[in-house]
Amino acid sequence: KDPVNLPCGHSFCDGCLDGWRSRYKVEEEMRRRCPICRARIPPSKEMVALLLTLQKDKLKLEVSNNTSSERYHRTCGLLKEAEERVGADWDGVTILEDNDDKPPVVMPYYIARAIREGDAKSVLKWINANRREDRANATSGVDTASMPVLYIAAACGQLALMSHLLQLGANVDGRASSGITATSYTFGDSEGLPSRNGSEKARLLLSWGASFFPGRECSREACIRKARIYGRPELAKLLESELGGRRCEIFNL
């Protein structure tokens, strides 16, 4: 699904490649190389966008002399991790190109409202009304952080709608402009795992190959720790398993 062609000539599905780049207990340097030939994997556009956003945020805080705030220290921590993911040997130019570089469809306001209210019928009717457009990966407007439809559904606890969206092709790792994904929200927000269907949302996302990035707040280790803190021992055990709840994963070939 969603094949990505690496500069070395090898191809992997997008979800499996993201899983490889965030694989548990694998050295950071190895994650940035092709599992077959060890050629360098360029950073994705999302990784670079997150890096540039964090650099910009850090500079703004420094200009406003706000370097002692918690926000500044958190931004510095996230920036360091983003730099490590991109790699010190990145040439600053080459990025991993998408096979489909079309801009996302922007959902109308009434659809965003329907998602929040759990009106799955209206949302699915809108998506299926034009299958030539990738409406399962539509986003909100830039004024509301370009949040993907799956992220909004996860944030609003709409488990059944999330399942429908994934079956219709929603990108499990789709990001808002802030870099947050449905998974990082589910594990990182105070209303994620503790919510009524928090564990079910996490299991669903993991079963579709969700990645454990961005940021240390959504590393695999952090997710395991939060699962235990919020009284979800079975979920913690699932995360500690070999595939971490996924149905497939790229192994060291």
Side-chain angles (χ1 to χ4, degrees), residues 37-236:
C37 67
R38 302 294 183 265
R40 179 76 162 82
I41 301 176
S44 67
K45 289 190 299 182
E46 291 80 10
M47 293 166 64
V48 173
L50 178 61
L51 175 67
L52 296 178
T53 297
L54 291 169
Q55 288 176 337
K56 184 178 179 180
D57 289 347
K58 179 175 179 287
L59 180 59
K60 283 184 177 179
L61 291 168
E62 290 173 342
V63 169
S64 61
N65 197 27
N66 198 14
T67 56
S68 60
S69 67
E70 181 181 349
R71 179 183 174 187
Y72 178 78
H73 292 296
R74 182 175 181 275
T75 300
C76 289
L78 293 174
L79 176 59
K80 180 180 179 181
E81 291 177 357
E83 291 172 340
E84 290 174 351
R85 286 189 60 80
V86 169
D89 55 346
W90 180 49
D91 61 11
V93 178
T94 308
I95 60 174
L96 192 61
E97 295 289 346
D98 294 334
N99 288 337
D100 184 1
D101 203 24
K102 295 180 181 178
V105 175
V106 177
M107 72 183 83
Y109 173 76
Y110 79 90
I111 292 299
R113 183 176 60 191
I115 297 171
R116 292 193 296 269
E117 296 175 351
D119 184 1
K121 183 177 180 180
S122 295
V123 177
L124 297 176
K125 181 179 179 180
W126 177 75
I127 290 175
N128 289 314
N130 188 345
R131 296 308 299 273
R132 287 176 297 179
E133 293 182 345
D134 188 13
R135 292 186 174 185
N137 286 297
T139 68
S140 62
V142 294
D143 57 328
T144 52
S146 299
M147 296 181 290
V149 59
L150 180 65
Y151 169 85
I152 299 174
C156 297
Q158 306 299 343
L159 181 64
L161 180 56
M162 289 171 62
S163 181
H164 284 301
L165 291 170
L166 289 164
Q167 292 175 51
L168 288 171
N171 179 6
V172 72
D173 287 326
R175 297 172 183 247
S177 59
S178 60
I180 299 176
T181 67
T183 306
S184 58
Y185 172 86
T186 299
F187 282 97
D189 191 88
S190 60
E191 298 181 1
L193 277 185
S195 65
R196 175 175 53 83
N197 55 8
S199 291
E200 288 79 6
K201 287 191 299 183
R203 288 175 182 272
L204 176 65
L205 293 167
L206 292 172
S207 72
W208 281 85
S211 300
F212 294 107
F213 56 88
R216 57 188 166 190
E217 292 185 357
C218 199
S219 66
R220 189 165 182 173
E221 296 88 343
C223 291
I224 292 171
R225 184 175 66 253
K226 289 181 179 180
R228 296 194 183 284
I229 290 174
Y230 292 123
R232 304 289 193 273
E234 295 302 319
L235 181 58

